[in-house]
Structures are given as C-alpha cells and as structure tokens.
Amino acid sequence: MHEVSIAESIVDIARDYAGRENVPLFSAIELQIGTLSGIEIEALMFAMDVVCRGTVLEGAEIRIQSVAGRARCEGCNFEFPVEDQFSPCPACGELRSSIISGEELRVSSLLFSE
Ligand SMILES: [Zn+2]
C-alpha cells in the first residue's frame, strides 16, 4: 500500500525535525494534500495510526488541509480548477494544460506543547 510509505516518510520528516529541535513528542501535525495527488486520506490516516506508534508522532492530532487542483492552459494561459489531469480548458478547449496546484503532499507544520 502506497499510503504506508507516505506515512513513513512523514514520520521521518517529524523525526528529523525532533532531533534538530530537541522535541520529545509532537501534539499535532498539519499536512497539505492535493486533490490530484492520488492519496486516499482514509488510507493515509489508517497508515499514520499504525506507523506513528512509538515515534515522536504517537498520539499527535493529524490535521489535513486539502489543496484543490488547478491547471493553466498551454494554449491561452487561462487558469482553471481541475478534478483530474485530463480536463480540457474551459476557455478555449485546449487539452494540454499544466497542473499548478493539487499534486502536493507537504508537512505544513508540526506542533508541540512546551
Ligand atoms: Zn485555453
């Protein structure tokens, strides 16, 4: 399952940060996940639950911020919301477009109580 390796990399990021900043345990982690990233939130939450045990993220609240997909038309530069990578431009019908947001998976913040 793809989401398990994602959960493991999130834990790695938290562990590195904890090591640098000398944080024993985080109380919350905020993730930005794009709607085009192909990540299933439910599967990721389940994987996090398992993978975080015994780590600096054990018991941490996981906050998910969803990032909507947006694309820019390669024909006319129009920017529009997209649900998948293959949506035609609503302004000119061009099929080629570049995704400008929605593919991200980012740890936006790690919170801990003093
Ligand atoms: Zn266009």
Side-chain angles (χ1 to χ4, degrees), residues 72-80 88-97:
R72 182 182 296 118
C73 173
E74 295 199 0
C76 72
N77 271 330
F78 185 70
E79 281 183 23
F80 54 100
C89 171
C92 73
E94 171 64 61
L95 285 169
R96 286 173 304 129
S97 58

Side-chain angles (χ1 to χ4, degrees), residues 32-95:
Q32 289 184 331
I33 299 178
T35 55
L36 305 176
S37 64
I39 297 166
E40 278 183 52
I41 307 287
E42 216 170 290
L44 180 64
M45 292 300 271
F46 180 77
M48 287 295 283
D49 194 43
V50 175
V51 170
C52 291
R53 276 179 209 157
T55 74
V56 291
L57 285 175
E58 175 149 25
E61 182 197 341
I62 297 159
R63 300 178 191 159
I64 309 268
Q65 200 187 347
S66 174
V67 181
R70 284 190 74 77
R72 182 182 296 118
C73 173
E74 295 199 0
C76 72
N77 271 330
F78 185 70
E79 281 183 23
F80 54 100
V82 284
E83 314 262 295
D84 59 60
Q85 278 94 331
F86 310 104
S87 312
C89 171
C92 73
E94 171 64 61
L95 285 169

Side-chain angles (χ1 to χ4, degrees), residues 18-32:
R20 274 202 312 274
E21 304 293 323
N22 213 9
V23 175
L25 200 63
F26 292 105
S27 55
I29 181 167
E30 291 180 354
L31 307 173
Q32 289 184 331

